[in-house]
């Protein structure tokens, strides 16, 4: 058993808002204790951050990038430590945990080149003797609220760019797997970041609402479910904050008749069952077009049945447990409901038991066909190892099915046709698109974000759009006349000439 506290002002802080257990999803046992925060915890963190940011915001770009370069080396050296903490508290396999750290490092590496991203514009002689230039400056204290499914990668989408652009950052990670965030806090301190510039507060809704309403926080970035994203967006915006709230998803992968069926099945199995389907970029829906349906269902069933389900720290494991007993029960209940509604259960993981881990949150892969289009198993975000295979007659029907979803996070098409791939990219109403790629998560120096109910706010995560989110622009118009120069008084609005 271990304890996880808040990290405020460069040291552990327990506060007085109570505690809750931290569980290992593979065993069902409590492995640690988390100290929870409240409004007073958040207020202390904001006051500490505001004081630290005043100096950090004036620090040279050279100093900021040196911290980022040092941080990169420390994170690489600590990858196994961070991955072990993620696997212990989230359940995902160690290779998957290392993979999310590697993807998070892409954003940290982007932050090391912040000198390029913060360059302004200069225009000489826009009017006679008058020049214009721009600069970008930090907002001040900003906050990130992140989900359980990527306890390292998603926070990395936020804090490196926020800090590199001169802000102080307060992170509220998921209370289910908090240890990775505290490890990152320690590494920032080792990298030379001044105490108070990166802080961690833990807790649930009370802590979240305190962050959303605190007058000392100027921007909030969030990743999580759509209902909570809506709450975050509405509440923070009402309190005058800049908001970036990434919501849920129900990503579709279209399999065309000319697709390589084995490739499509292997790739979609990875998207549907990797990390037990607990990814916002998971693929819970496959859409088969025309006569490819039977071949694809047979191929995806074969892929699902050969997966080894077990603890994430075992080398033989392909698919880990889900995060909580409730998540396991949701997959089982939704499978039951789909079957009762007439769906065919092609692969049934409901009764799976992992020997020696009978109290773990294990459920096997589920593959369903013949699901009614209005059934919740298809329309809702299951967030578990379930794949629903829908069938349509042609490309236009597939496009209509995908576009009718209220979500617009990610999608994929498997085809050998450049014509259909190009049409799909142009006509689908989704923010991130893969062609023969099941999980089209952009690299860290691009930007991540969906459409429709998958994103609330104007800015996508990481990459250049994050620089715009965490800074604001000033435009300067300057004249330096000679001391003897005579300028006539004019009451007209100034024009250029």
């Amino acid at each position: 058993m271990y304890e996880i506290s808040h990290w405020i002002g460069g040291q552990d802080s327990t506060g007085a808002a109570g505690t809750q257990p931290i569980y290992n999803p593979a065993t069902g046992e409590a492995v640690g204790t988390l100290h929870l925060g409240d409004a007073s915890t958040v207020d202390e963190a904001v006051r500490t951050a505001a004081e630290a940011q005043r100096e950090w915001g004036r620090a040279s770009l050279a100093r900021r990038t040196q911290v980022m370069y040092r941080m990169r080396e420390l994170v690489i050296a600590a990858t196994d430590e961070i991955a072990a903490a993620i696997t212990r508290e989230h359940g995902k396999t160690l290779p998957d945990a290392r993979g999310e750290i590697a993807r998070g490092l892409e954003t940290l590496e982007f932050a090391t080149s912040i000198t390029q991203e913060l360059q302004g514009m200069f225009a000489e002689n826009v009017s006679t003797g008058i020049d214009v230039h721009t600069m970008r400056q930090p907002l001040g204290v900003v906050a990130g609220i992140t989900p359980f499914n990527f306890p390292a990668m998603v926070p990395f989408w936020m804090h490196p760019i926020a800090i590199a652009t001169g802000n102080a950052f307060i992170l509220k990670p998921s209370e289910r797997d908090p240890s990775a965030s505290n490890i990152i806090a320690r590494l920032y301190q080792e990298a030379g970041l001044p105490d108070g510039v990166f802080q961690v507060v833990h807790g649930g809704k009370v802590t979240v609402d305190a962050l959303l309403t605190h007058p000392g926080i100027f921007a909030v970035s969030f990743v999580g479910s759509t209902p909570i994203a809506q709450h975050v967006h509405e509440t923070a915006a009402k309190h005058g904050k800049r908001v970036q709230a990434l919501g849920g998803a129900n990503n579709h992968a279209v399999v065309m008749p000319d697709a390589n069926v084995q490739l499509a099945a292997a790739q979609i199995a990875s998207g549907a069952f990797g990390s037990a389907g607990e990814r916002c970029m998971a693929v819970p829906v496959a859409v088969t077009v025309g006569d490819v349906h039977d071949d694809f269902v047979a191929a995806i069933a074969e892929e699902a049945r050969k997966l080894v389900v077990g603890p994430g720290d075992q080398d033989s494991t392909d698919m880990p447990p889900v995060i909580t007993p409730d998540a396991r029960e949701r997959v089982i209940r939704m499978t039951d409901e789909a079957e009762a509604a007439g769906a065919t259960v092609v692969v049934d993981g409901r009764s799976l038991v992992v020997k020696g881990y009978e109290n773990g949150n294990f459920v096997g892969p589920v593959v369903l066909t013949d699901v009614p289009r209005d059934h919740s198993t298809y329309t809702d975000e299951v967030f578990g190892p379930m794949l629903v295979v829908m069938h349509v007659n042609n490309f236009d029907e597939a496009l209509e099915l995908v576009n009718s979803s209220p979500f617009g996070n990610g999608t994929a098409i498997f085809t050998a046709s450049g014509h259909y791939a190009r049409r799909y990219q142009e006509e689908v109403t989704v923010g991130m698109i893969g062609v023969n790629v099941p999980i089209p998560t952009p690299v860290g120096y691009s930007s991540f974000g969906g459409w429709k109910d998958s994103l609330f706010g104007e800015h996508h995560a990481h990459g250049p759009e994050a620089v715009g989110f965490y800074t604001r622009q000033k435009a300067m118009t300057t004249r330096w006349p000679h001391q003897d120069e005579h300028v006539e008084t004019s009451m007209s609005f100034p024009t250029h000439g």
Side-chain angles (χ1 to χ4, degrees):
M1 294 287 290
Y2 53 88
E3 292 191 11
I4 298 295
S5 305
H6 314 291
W7 181 267
I8 298 175
Q11 59 187 359
D12 289 325
S13 174
T14 57
T19 63
Q20 73 174 42
I22 304 168
Y23 291 96
N24 182 330
T27 64
E29 297 174 348
V31 292
T33 300
L34 176 67
H35 290 268
L36 303 175
D38 57 14
S40 64
T41 312
V42 170
D43 188 62
E44 179 188 1
V46 173
R47 286 187 286 105
T48 305
E51 182 177 350
Q53 193 277 328
R54 281 191 285 273
E55 177 184 349
W56 179 248
R58 294 191 296 267
S60 69
L61 290 177
R63 183 184 175 196
R64 294 186 214 164
T65 54
Q66 285 167 3
V67 169
M68 291 297 147
Y69 275 113
R70 177 62 178 150
M71 183 64 176
R72 176 185 179 274
E73 296 307 310
L74 290 172
V75 171
I76 291 172
T79 291
D80 287 346
E81 178 190 2
I82 301 168
I86 293 171
T87 295
R88 181 177 63 247
E89 296 175 355
H90 174 279
K92 68 175 60 178
T93 66
L94 284 169
D96 196 25
R98 294 188 192 102
E100 75 159 280
I101 296 166
R103 292 304 298 268
L105 276 167
E106 291 177 359
T107 305
L108 183 56
E109 289 162 354
F110 175 82
T112 64
S113 63
I114 204 67
T115 51
Q116 305 301 308
E117 297 299 325
L118 288 180
Q119 291 187 79
M121 175 276 291
F122 182 88
E124 183 182 21
N125 262 0
V126 297
S127 190
T128 304
I130 295 178
D131 307 326
V132 171
H133 70 278
T134 64
M135 65 173 68
R136 302 203 71 88
Q137 293 186 323
L139 300 178
V141 179
V142 299
I145 302 166
T146 57
F148 76 85
N149 58 328
F150 286 101
M153 184 183 75
V154 171
F156 264 114
W157 288 355
M158 304 172 187
H159 55 73
I161 299 177
I163 292 169
T165 53
N167 300 281
F169 188 88
I170 299 173
L171 173 62
K172 205 302 286 185
S174 170
E175 59 273 27
R176 294 171 182 170
D177 45 13
S179 290
S181 297
N182 281 49
I183 295 171
I184 294 301
R186 186 198 76 218
L187 296 180
Y188 265 127
Q189 188 178 61
E190 291 180 24
L193 187 70
D195 291 339
V197 176
F198 179 83
Q199 302 187 101
V200 184
V201 295
H202 299 287
K205 188 177 187 299
V206 171
T207 305
V208 168
D209 286 343
L211 291 168
L212 300 181
T213 58
H214 197 290
I217 293 175
F218 296 94
V220 176
S221 183
F222 170 85
V223 176
S225 69
T226 288
I228 306 302
Q230 289 175 310
H231 170 73
V232 167
H233 183 251
E234 292 170 3
T235 305
K238 181 179 178 180
H239 286 81
K241 306 184 194 314
R242 188 177 289 186
V243 191
Q244 170 195 72
L246 282 69
N250 196 25
N251 306 319
H252 293 53
V254 175
V255 183
M256 294 294 290
D258 63 354
N260 180 326
V261 174
Q262 295 304 320
L263 170 70
Q267 294 290 289
I268 291 172
S270 172
F273 307 125
S275 198
E278 293 177 324
R279 296 170 176 160
C280 65
M281 290 296 282
V283 182
V285 181
V287 183
T288 55
V289 179
D291 59 10
V292 76
H293 179 75
D294 290 344
D295 289 344
F296 175 78
V297 170
I300 195 70
E302 181 180 356
E303 292 288 341
R305 291 187 181 110
K306 70 184 183 184
L307 294 176
V308 176
V309 180
D313 59 1
Q314 292 187 2
D315 291 341
S316 60
T317 295
D318 297 311
M319 197 182 89
V322 292
I323 187 72
T324 62
D326 285 345
R328 175 180 178 274
E329 289 304 315
R330 182 174 66 247
V331 173
I332 294 171
R333 172 180 54 79
M334 294 186 78
T335 305
D336 292 343
E337 292 172 354
E339 188 174 33
T344 301
V345 183
V346 178
V347 178
D348 190 348
R350 286 175 288 187
S351 60
L352 180 135
V353 176
V354 177
K355 187 176 180 180
Y357 294 86
E358 288 79 8
N359 293 323
N361 307 324
F362 292 99
V363 60
V366 174
V367 177
L368 303 174
T369 61
D370 307 313
V371 175
R373 186 166 167 173
D374 62 350
H375 195 268
S376 61
T377 310
Y378 166 66
T379 59
D380 295 352
E381 184 179 29
V382 177
F383 226 63
M386 178 186 291
L387 178 68
V388 174
V389 183
M390 306 292 283
H391 179 245
V392 297
N393 296 312
N394 53 54
F395 174 83
D396 289 329
E397 289 183 8
L399 186 66
E400 185 276 329
L401 183 66
V402 176
N403 286 345
S404 67
S405 172
F407 301 104
N409 205 46
T411 188
I413 183 170
F414 287 84
T415 182
S417 168
H419 167 73
Y420 283 118
R422 192 170 189 274
R423 273 197 64 192
Y424 198 70
Q425 292 175 84
E426 289 184 344
E427 298 177 36
V428 74
T429 54
V430 176
M432 293 171 285
I433 303 160
V435 177
N436 298 315
V437 175
I439 308 174
T441 303
V443 292
Y445 42 87
S446 180
S447 292
F448 179 104
W451 288 15
K452 299 187 286 190
D453 285 355
S454 295
L455 176 68
F456 300 88
E458 297 181 355
H459 290 85
H460 287 189
H462 65 63
E465 288 210 26
V467 176
F469 179 74
Y470 290 117
T471 61
R472 51 191 167 190
Q473 181 174 285
K474 284 182 177 176
M476 277 63 63
T477 304
T478 59
R479 169 192 278 147
W480 296 100
H482 188 274
Q483 63 180 2
D484 296 328
E485 180 180 339
H486 177 70
V487 179
E488 294 289 342
T489 302
S490 173
M491 298 297 106
S492 301
F493 193 80
T495 59
H496 304 305

